[in-house]
Amino acid sequence: MTVRKGAEEARNRLPELLEAAEKGRATIITKRGRPVAVLAPIAVYGAGARQRALTPVVGSGPGLWGADSARRLRKLRDEWSR
């Protein structure tokens, strides 16, 4: 379950929010009702940080990925997952 907190409330309740993160719960921090940040367990952050976009690494444009670009990208992702 993800909880939403305003920036001021999050600042005032930071120790509680850190405990919640340790227990695996994320908190969305809002500013004037608009989401601007997430306080999440480090394991969740690490999982998201591992997967990177392939386009900047190889390049982009017509023909650079071969005839079947989807298959080529799957192959590259499989290689990176090992």
Side-chain angles (χ1 to χ4, degrees), residues 50-52 54 71-82:
R50 280 191 295 254
Q51 183 70 38
R52 299 273 187 229
L54 297 175
R71 190 167 76 183
R72 178 69 178 149
L73 286 172
R74 277 193 302 275
K75 182 180 176 190
L76 288 170
R77 285 191 181 107
D78 288 345
E79 289 177 13
W80 283 24
S81 297
R82 291 184 214 156

Side-chain angles (χ1 to χ4, degrees), residues 3-25:
V3 179
R4 293 173 78 106
K5 300 285 181 191
E8 184 69 21
E9 183 181 2
R11 183 178 66 84
N12 292 332
R13 298 180 63 191
L14 184 59
E16 295 170 41
L17 298 179
L18 290 174
E19 283 183 34
E22 285 180 325
K23 294 176 182 174
R25 294 189 305 264

Side-chain angles (χ1 to χ4, degrees), residues 28-48:
I28 297 173
I29 312 291
T30 63
K31 189 173 184 180
R32 296 184 185 99
R34 186 177 49 92
V36 295
V38 175
L39 178 62
I42 196 70
V44 172
Y45 172 78

